[in-house]
Amino acid sequence: MTALSLAQRLADHVQHLLGDGPFSQPGGWIHMGAVICDASFHARCKYEAALRPRLLRLQADWPDAATVRGFQGRLATEDLALAMDFNDSRKVATAHAITGLLAANGVDTRDDLHAWLDHQANRAALRTVKGVGPKSIDYIGNLVGRSQVAVDVHLRAFAADAGVPELRYEQLRTVYEEAAVLLGHDEGALEHAIWRHQSGAA
């Protein structure tokens, strides 16, 4: 089947289960410490119950970490695992590595990161961080107000239920993007609506 016919199959499944919308975009974060921690800690984590409350607390406890430089300063003197109440050394290491990379590239604010992600070379640089894959890049984009489809296990399950065969990450993302066009929805808003439906957050 062509990507367009798969997109139509997916679009039909969206309308059947979710209706015609409209769907709201995920809000993301202004606080860069929250952006980095969300991107680093969210995998295989119950987001609404476990991660989001920790990110809100981090924002309140570390207001000076609203910029990458401010967050980097906190990381130099404080224990992120303790601050997040999340003892996972690999995820903590990913947060430190993302912070260092962004700081080294002069990325300090949400707007900086939004613009920085326009360039493929910068996205490739993020991929060099252990724990950051193609889905993470798209997810980070959504956290700073870009509109992208970050294909996770929930979106893969939804596509399988729609009769879309197993595809590589980039192929399935394209099918979702084309389904959004067919339905007249914003890509990020459609992704978020499907994620909420599949995760039980809706």
Side-chain angles (χ1 to χ4, degrees), residues 106-178:
V107 177
D108 199 39
T109 66
R110 172 188 169 109
D111 288 345
D112 290 343
L113 182 50
H114 187 287
W116 190 76
L117 288 170
D118 280 338
H119 303 284
Q120 192 59 42
N122 296 336
R123 297 166 71 90
L126 264 178
R127 286 288 307 277
T128 66
V129 174
K130 188 174 182 179
V132 175
K135 180 257 180 177
S136 298
I137 305 295
D138 291 326
Y139 184 70
I140 290 169
N142 283 336
L143 292 177
V144 295
R146 300 173 70 90
S147 180
Q148 300 174 172
V149 175
V151 178
D152 67 355
V153 293
H154 296 303
L155 269 73
R156 283 197 175 278
F158 188 89
D161 289 344
V164 176
E166 185 72 19
L167 299 171
R168 296 196 309 271
Y169 180 90
E170 291 79 6
Q171 291 174 315
L172 186 53
R173 181 179 61 195
T174 296
V175 171
Y176 268 103
E177 290 168 348
E178 292 185 355

Side-chain angles (χ1 to χ4, degrees), residues 1-2 7 28 31 33 38 41 50 77 87 89 93 106 130 142 148 153 155 157 185 191-193:
M1 298 181 71
T2 66
H31 188 283
D38 194 331
F41 286 87
T77 59
N87 191 23
S89 59
K130 188 174 182 179
N142 283 336
Q148 300 174 172
V153 293
L155 269 73
H185 293 311
E191 181 237 73
H192 191 54

